[in-house]
Amino acid sequence: MASNCIFCRIAGGEIPSAAVYEDEYFKAIMDIAPAAKGHILILPKKHSDNLLELDSESAARLLAVAQKIAKAQMEELKCDGINLLQNNGEAAGQTVNHFHIHLIPRYKSDQVKISWQQGAYADGEAAGLAEKIAKRIN
Ligand code: 5GP
Ligand code: ZN
């Protein structure tokens, strides 16, 4: 555990939190400043700064946990949808450098904004970039 990492301290139980789920690998807690009531964060117990550093076993287990929690949110909150959000790096909005997934309940006419201006590619640009990225996937 990184003693100066707030999410390590929460996941390890050193700092109390409103937890909704816990297993050997993860703890899921209520976000302290929610985008909407019922906004949940899933924290791996083992520290990694971000998705790029997350170990592959945790990565493989995470979506199953997210799915279970999302189903419980839908049932309890009667929300209309859920955003699964995960920020990596300051430029992407990451403020706590311990990997975490957001599960944000959404309602048809809520004021939560997760949006961008749609861009565009020149002819062949998307395919060229896809090829370059594909070569780096291993
Ligand atoms: P990020 O911007 O890094 O993706 O998200 C960090 C999230 O952690 C924010 O939504 C913020 O409200 C939440 N957060 C920060 N500190 C604490 C804390 O001490 N306890 C809880 N429960 N949530 C926190
Ligand atoms: Zn940590």
Side-chain angles (χ1 to χ4, degrees), residues 14 31 42 45 88 101 135:
E14 192 188 317
D31 194 296
I42 306 176
K45 291 185 174 177
N88 298 284
I101 284 182
K135 281 190 185 139

Side-chain angles (χ1 to χ4, degrees), residues 19-41:
V20 298
Y21 176 86
E22 183 163 9
D23 66 21
E24 194 181 339
Y25 308 102
F26 305 105
K27 189 165 195 168
I29 61 168
M30 303 301 272
D31 194 296
I32 204 167
K37 287 182 183 172
H39 177 168
I40 288 169
L41 302 173

Side-chain angles (χ1 to χ4, degrees), residues 6-7 10 29-33 41 87 93-96 100 102:
I6 183 88
F7 282 0
I10 291 173
I29 61 168
M30 303 301 272
D31 194 296
I32 204 167
L41 302 173
N87 300 325
Q94 186 176 11
T95 57
V96 178
H100 53 280
H102 295 258

Side-chain angles (χ1 to χ4, degrees), residues 2 5-9 47-48 97-98:
C5 171
I6 183 88
F7 282 0
C8 276
R9 296 174 73 192
H47 181 95
S48 57
N97 290 329
H98 175 125

Side-chain angles (χ1 to χ4, degrees):
M1 180 198 292
S3 60
N4 58 350
C5 171
I6 183 88
F7 282 0
C8 276
R9 296 174 73 192
I10 291 173
E14 192 188 317
I15 295 178
S17 61
V20 298
Y21 176 86
E22 183 163 9
D23 66 21
E24 194 181 339
Y25 308 102
F26 305 105
K27 189 165 195 168
I29 61 168
M30 303 301 272
D31 194 296
I32 204 167
K37 287 182 183 172
H39 177 168
I40 288 169
L41 302 173
I42 306 176
L43 318 176
K45 291 185 174 177
K46 186 169 139 195
H47 181 95
S48 57
D49 279 2
N50 54 43
L51 178 66
L52 306 174
E53 292 187 0
L54 188 70
D55 63 280
S56 53
E57 291 84 4
S58 297
R61 288 187 185 107
L62 258 166
L63 207 55
V65 172
Q67 183 185 44
K68 279 192 217 190
I69 296 171
K71 284 181 179 171
Q73 284 173 301
M74 290 294 282
E75 272 180 42
E76 179 58 31
L77 304 168
K78 315 276 183 253
C79 49
D80 300 313
I82 291 177
N83 285 117
L84 188 155
L85 183 72
Q86 200 278 306
N87 300 325
N88 298 284
E90 198 181 338
Q94 186 176 11
T95 57
V96 178
N97 290 329
H98 175 125
F99 173 94
H100 53 280
I101 284 182
H102 295 258
L103 288 167
I104 303 174
R106 299 299 305 271
Y107 300 88
K108 274 174 191 147
S109 40
D110 70 25
Q111 299 299 307
V112 176
K113 295 267 171 293
I114 300 169
S115 63
W116 55 86
Q117 273 198 308
Q118 291 186 322
Y121 287 111
D123 270 1
E125 192 183 356
L129 194 52
E131 201 180 320
K132 286 183 185 163
I133 294 170
K135 281 190 185 139
R136 294 182 183 270
I137 298 175
N138 48 45

